[in-house]
Each structure stands twice: as C-alpha cells, then as structure tokens.
Short mmCIF file of all heavy atoms in Angstrom, two decimals:
data_model
loop_
_atom_site.label_atom_id
_atom_site.label_comp_id
_atom_site.label_asym_id
_atom_site.label_seq_id
_atom_site.Cartn_x
_atom_site.Cartn_y
_atom_site.Cartn_z
N CYS A 1 -21.51 -3.28 -11.59
CA CYS A 1 -20.17 -2.98 -11.10
C CYS A 1 -19.57 -4.14 -10.33
O CYS A 1 -18.37 -4.26 -10.24
CB CYS A 1 -20.21 -1.74 -10.19
SG CYS A 1 -20.54 -0.24 -11.09
N SER A 2 -20.44 -4.97 -9.70
CA SER A 2 -19.89 -5.98 -8.80
C SER A 2 -19.72 -7.33 -9.44
O SER A 2 -19.29 -8.27 -8.82
CB SER A 2 -20.79 -6.11 -7.57
OG SER A 2 -22.07 -6.56 -7.99
N SER A 3 -20.12 -7.48 -10.70
CA SER A 3 -19.95 -8.78 -11.34
C SER A 3 -19.25 -8.63 -12.67
O SER A 3 -19.21 -7.56 -13.25
CB SER A 3 -21.31 -9.44 -11.52
OG SER A 3 -22.11 -8.67 -12.40
N SER A 4 -18.72 -9.72 -13.17
CA SER A 4 -18.00 -9.70 -14.43
C SER A 4 -18.61 -10.72 -15.37
O SER A 4 -18.80 -11.88 -14.99
CB SER A 4 -16.52 -10.02 -14.18
OG SER A 4 -15.87 -10.28 -15.39
N GLY A 5 -18.89 -10.31 -16.59
CA GLY A 5 -19.46 -11.23 -17.57
C GLY A 5 -18.48 -12.31 -17.98
O GLY A 5 -18.87 -13.38 -18.44
N ASP A 6 -17.17 -12.06 -17.83
CA ASP A 6 -16.16 -13.02 -18.25
C ASP A 6 -15.93 -14.11 -17.23
O ASP A 6 -15.29 -15.11 -17.51
CB ASP A 6 -14.82 -12.30 -18.50
CG ASP A 6 -14.94 -11.32 -19.66
OD1 ASP A 6 -15.81 -11.53 -20.52
OD2 ASP A 6 -14.17 -10.34 -19.66
N HIS A 7 -16.41 -13.94 -16.00
CA HIS A 7 -16.12 -14.91 -14.94
C HIS A 7 -17.39 -15.45 -14.32
O HIS A 7 -17.44 -15.75 -13.14
CB HIS A 7 -15.25 -14.26 -13.85
CG HIS A 7 -13.91 -13.84 -14.36
ND1 HIS A 7 -13.71 -12.58 -14.88
CD2 HIS A 7 -12.75 -14.51 -14.48
CE1 HIS A 7 -12.45 -12.49 -15.28
NE2 HIS A 7 -11.85 -13.64 -15.04
N GLY A 8 -18.45 -15.56 -15.10
CA GLY A 8 -19.68 -16.17 -14.60
C GLY A 8 -20.27 -15.45 -13.41
O GLY A 8 -20.80 -16.08 -12.52
N GLY A 9 -20.17 -14.10 -13.37
CA GLY A 9 -20.77 -13.34 -12.28
C GLY A 9 -19.94 -13.29 -11.02
O GLY A 9 -20.40 -12.85 -9.99
N GLU A 10 -18.69 -13.74 -11.06
CA GLU A 10 -17.81 -13.69 -9.89
C GLU A 10 -17.48 -12.24 -9.56
O GLU A 10 -17.25 -11.44 -10.44
CB GLU A 10 -16.50 -14.42 -10.20
CG GLU A 10 -16.31 -15.68 -9.37
CD GLU A 10 -15.00 -16.34 -9.73
OE1 GLU A 10 -13.96 -15.67 -9.64
OE2 GLU A 10 -15.03 -17.51 -10.10
N ALA A 11 -17.42 -11.91 -8.27
CA ALA A 11 -17.09 -10.55 -7.86
C ALA A 11 -15.64 -10.26 -8.16
O ALA A 11 -14.77 -11.12 -7.99
CB ALA A 11 -17.37 -10.38 -6.37
N LYS A 12 -15.38 -9.05 -8.64
CA LYS A 12 -14.00 -8.65 -8.91
C LYS A 12 -13.26 -8.42 -7.60
O LYS A 12 -13.82 -7.89 -6.66
CB LYS A 12 -13.99 -7.36 -9.74
CG LYS A 12 -14.45 -7.54 -11.16
CD LYS A 12 -14.35 -6.23 -11.92
CE LYS A 12 -14.81 -6.38 -13.35
NZ LYS A 12 -14.77 -5.12 -14.09
N LYS A 13 -12.01 -8.82 -7.56
CA LYS A 13 -11.20 -8.62 -6.37
C LYS A 13 -10.39 -7.34 -6.53
O LYS A 13 -9.84 -7.08 -7.59
CB LYS A 13 -10.26 -9.80 -6.16
CG LYS A 13 -11.00 -11.08 -5.82
CD LYS A 13 -10.05 -12.22 -5.61
CE LYS A 13 -10.79 -13.49 -5.27
NZ LYS A 13 -9.89 -14.64 -5.11
N THR A 14 -10.35 -6.56 -5.48
CA THR A 14 -9.56 -5.33 -5.49
C THR A 14 -8.44 -5.44 -4.48
O THR A 14 -8.59 -6.09 -3.46
CB THR A 14 -10.44 -4.11 -5.16
OG1 THR A 14 -11.02 -4.32 -3.89
CG2 THR A 14 -11.52 -3.91 -6.20
N THR A 15 -7.34 -4.82 -4.78
CA THR A 15 -6.19 -4.83 -3.86
C THR A 15 -5.91 -3.42 -3.41
O THR A 15 -5.97 -2.48 -4.21
CB THR A 15 -4.94 -5.42 -4.54
OG1 THR A 15 -4.66 -4.66 -5.71
CG2 THR A 15 -5.15 -6.87 -4.91
N SER A 16 -5.61 -3.26 -2.13
CA SER A 16 -5.26 -1.95 -1.60
C SER A 16 -3.77 -1.73 -1.77
O SER A 16 -2.99 -2.69 -1.74
CB SER A 16 -5.65 -1.84 -0.13
OG SER A 16 -5.03 -2.86 0.60
N PRO A 17 -3.34 -0.48 -1.96
CA PRO A 17 -1.91 -0.22 -2.16
C PRO A 17 -1.10 -0.59 -0.92
O PRO A 17 -1.58 -0.49 0.20
CB PRO A 17 -1.85 1.30 -2.41
CG PRO A 17 -3.12 1.84 -1.84
CD PRO A 17 -4.14 0.74 -1.97
N ALA A 18 0.11 -1.03 -1.16
CA ALA A 18 1.00 -1.42 -0.05
C ALA A 18 1.36 -0.18 0.75
O ALA A 18 1.48 0.92 0.20
CB ALA A 18 2.26 -2.07 -0.60
N PRO A 19 1.52 -0.32 2.08
CA PRO A 19 1.91 0.84 2.89
C PRO A 19 3.27 1.37 2.48
O PRO A 19 4.17 0.59 2.14
CB PRO A 19 1.93 0.29 4.32
CG PRO A 19 2.03 -1.18 4.17
CD PRO A 19 1.40 -1.53 2.87
N THR A 20 3.42 2.68 2.50
CA THR A 20 4.69 3.29 2.10
C THR A 20 5.57 3.52 3.31
O THR A 20 5.09 3.72 4.42
CB THR A 20 4.45 4.65 1.40
OG1 THR A 20 3.70 5.48 2.29
CG2 THR A 20 3.67 4.46 0.11
N LYS A 21 6.86 3.48 3.09
CA LYS A 21 7.82 3.72 4.17
C LYS A 21 7.88 5.21 4.46
O LYS A 21 7.41 6.03 3.69
CB LYS A 21 9.20 3.21 3.76
CG LYS A 21 9.26 1.69 3.67
CD LYS A 21 10.66 1.25 3.33
CE LYS A 21 10.76 -0.28 3.26
NZ LYS A 21 12.10 -0.73 2.92
N SER A 22 8.49 5.57 5.58
CA SER A 22 8.60 6.98 5.96
C SER A 22 9.28 7.77 4.86
O SER A 22 10.27 7.32 4.28
CB SER A 22 9.43 7.09 7.25
OG SER A 22 9.71 8.44 7.51
N SER A 23 8.73 8.94 4.56
CA SER A 23 9.29 9.76 3.50
C SER A 23 10.46 10.61 3.98
O SER A 23 11.05 11.33 3.19
CB SER A 23 8.19 10.66 2.92
OG SER A 23 7.65 11.47 3.94
N ASP A 24 10.79 10.54 5.27
CA ASP A 24 11.88 11.33 5.82
C ASP A 24 13.18 10.54 5.71
O ASP A 24 13.37 9.56 6.43
CB ASP A 24 11.59 11.67 7.29
CG ASP A 24 12.64 12.60 7.88
OD1 ASP A 24 13.65 12.89 7.19
OD2 ASP A 24 12.46 13.04 9.02
N PRO A 25 14.09 10.95 4.82
CA PRO A 25 15.34 10.20 4.65
C PRO A 25 16.27 10.29 5.86
O PRO A 25 17.19 9.49 6.01
CB PRO A 25 15.98 10.85 3.41
CG PRO A 25 15.42 12.24 3.39
CD PRO A 25 14.03 12.12 3.94
N ASP A 26 16.01 11.26 6.74
CA ASP A 26 16.87 11.45 7.92
C ASP A 26 16.27 10.85 9.19
O ASP A 26 16.78 11.08 10.29
CB ASP A 26 17.12 12.95 8.15
CG ASP A 26 17.81 13.60 6.96
OD1 ASP A 26 18.65 12.94 6.32
OD2 ASP A 26 17.51 14.77 6.66
N ALA A 27 15.20 10.08 9.05
CA ALA A 27 14.48 9.57 10.23
C ALA A 27 15.39 8.77 11.16
O ALA A 27 15.35 8.94 12.38
CB ALA A 27 13.29 8.72 9.79
N SER A 28 16.21 7.89 10.60
CA SER A 28 17.06 7.04 11.46
C SER A 28 18.12 7.87 12.19
O SER A 28 18.43 7.61 13.36
CB SER A 28 17.72 5.93 10.64
OG SER A 28 18.57 6.48 9.65
N GLU A 29 18.66 8.89 11.52
CA GLU A 29 19.66 9.75 12.16
C GLU A 29 19.01 10.59 13.27
O GLU A 29 19.60 10.79 14.33
CB GLU A 29 20.35 10.66 11.14
CG GLU A 29 21.20 9.93 10.11
CD GLU A 29 22.38 9.17 10.72
OE1 GLU A 29 22.74 9.44 11.88
OE2 GLU A 29 22.92 8.29 10.04
N LYS A 30 17.80 11.06 13.02
CA LYS A 30 17.10 11.84 14.04
C LYS A 30 16.84 10.99 15.29
O LYS A 30 16.99 11.47 16.42
CB LYS A 30 15.77 12.37 13.49
CG LYS A 30 15.94 13.49 12.47
CD LYS A 30 14.59 13.94 11.93
CE LYS A 30 14.74 15.07 10.92
NZ LYS A 30 13.44 15.49 10.37
N THR A 31 16.48 9.74 15.07
CA THR A 31 16.26 8.83 16.18
C THR A 31 17.55 8.64 16.98
O THR A 31 17.54 8.63 18.22
CB THR A 31 15.76 7.46 15.67
OG1 THR A 31 14.51 7.66 15.00
CG2 THR A 31 15.57 6.46 16.80
N ALA A 32 18.67 8.52 16.26
CA ALA A 32 19.96 8.33 16.93
C ALA A 32 20.38 9.57 17.71
O ALA A 32 20.95 9.47 18.81
CB ALA A 32 21.03 7.98 15.89
N VAL A 33 20.07 10.76 17.18
CA VAL A 33 20.39 12.01 17.89
C VAL A 33 19.60 12.08 19.19
O VAL A 33 20.16 12.38 20.26
CB VAL A 33 20.07 13.25 17.01
CG1 VAL A 33 20.20 14.52 17.82
CG2 VAL A 33 20.96 13.30 15.79
N LEU A 34 18.31 11.79 19.12
CA LEU A 34 17.47 11.86 20.32
C LEU A 34 17.90 10.82 21.35
O LEU A 34 17.85 11.08 22.56
CB LEU A 34 15.99 11.67 19.95
CG LEU A 34 15.34 12.84 19.22
CD1 LEU A 34 13.92 12.49 18.81
CD2 LEU A 34 15.35 14.10 20.07
#
C-alpha cells in the first residue's frame, strides 16, 4: 500500500480536502444583527 511500482518504491502522496466555508448563508447578517 505504501509504495508504487511505477515510481521506484516512492511513497504515494495524499492530499487532505480543503476546509469548507460556513454552510450558513445568513452568517454575516446574523453577526451584523448581534
């Protein structure tokens, strides 16, 4: 699992998903109300 036959045994690199923005479309208005 940790090596690749195509890259001379180099470890595969994995990327983590980018952080998502707030799912609340009214967040900025709520902040302004408060």
Side-chain angles (χ1 to χ4, degrees):
C1 290
S2 63
S3 64
S4 168
D6 296 335
H7 297 90
E10 247 180 55
K12 289 182 180 178
K13 293 180 180 178
T14 58
T15 57
S16 56
T20 56
K21 292 183 179 179
S22 171
S23 58
D24 185 354
D26 300 325
S28 62
E29 294 297 343
K30 288 178 179 179
T31 298
V33 172
L34 288 175

